[in-house]
Amino acid sequence: MAQTFFQDFRKDNGFPVTVEYSYRPGSETTYSPRFGAEGGDPCDICIIASWPNTPEYNRVFGILRNLEWGRHPRWLTPFVWLALQTVKLDIWLRELPAALSEAERERMEEWLIEHHVYEPSEEDFY
């Protein structure tokens, strides 16, 4: 499974978002006596998801995690199920403004390509 990373950005309208992205390093530059330096392939960045980076969103998301992870099978009553659905709807509505346009996605991917510091994982050594 590919390793993912997280970075905070601001959309073009100033809305704060956090993006999850995967990074695959490009190939190294090679040298040959006959042709000189041959450039390697560029790195590959792919933004997987984006969500709001606001205290309100983090609070509501924390409520959802507490409801989902802290429940006991006997605890799931119709009232708790309805509360879960209400919180999920609230999260979905709060995530709508965090959707990235194509221009914003390209801008963020270009920034990530220029500023990502690659640290090899253990999988790279095997």
Side-chain angles (χ1 to χ4, degrees):
M1 175 178 241
Q3 184 177 7
T4 61
F5 304 91
F6 302 93
Q7 182 67 43
D8 295 333
F9 284 105
R10 289 205 174 265
K11 291 182 56 160
D12 293 340
N13 63 3
F15 189 76
V17 296
T18 299
V19 297
E20 178 182 11
Y21 67 97
S22 65
Y23 174 86
R24 188 186 63 178
S27 64
E28 296 289 325
T29 301
T30 58
Y31 299 93
S32 71
R34 185 171 185 179
F35 299 108
E38 300 261 336
D41 295 329
C43 65
D44 185 27
I45 295 277
C46 178
I47 293 180
I48 300 168
S50 66
W51 56 87
N53 185 13
T54 61
E56 298 85 18
Y57 178 80
N58 293 337
R59 180 184 58 79
V60 174
F61 197 78
I63 291 170
L64 175 67
R65 290 296 155 232
N66 287 338
L67 284 173
E68 286 184 338
W69 292 347
R71 70 173 185 237
H72 189 272
R74 289 181 294 177
W75 186 66
L76 192 58
T77 62
F79 174 76
V80 174
W81 181 86
L82 182 62
L84 274 169
Q85 301 312 311
T86 305
V87 172
K88 287 179 181 180
L89 177 63
D90 188 18
I91 287 174
W92 182 77
L93 290 172
R94 289 177 189 268
E95 287 177 348
L96 286 178
L100 301 177
S101 69
E102 193 61 35
E104 291 168 333
R105 181 178 299 276
E106 288 175 7
R107 175 179 59 88
M108 292 175 190
E109 286 176 349
E110 288 175 12
W111 188 91
L112 290 168
I113 288 171
E114 294 174 4
H115 294 90
H116 180 81
V117 177
Y118 177 68
E119 297 176 5
S121 65
E122 291 182 13
E123 295 175 357
D124 294 339
F125 296 112
Y126 298 107

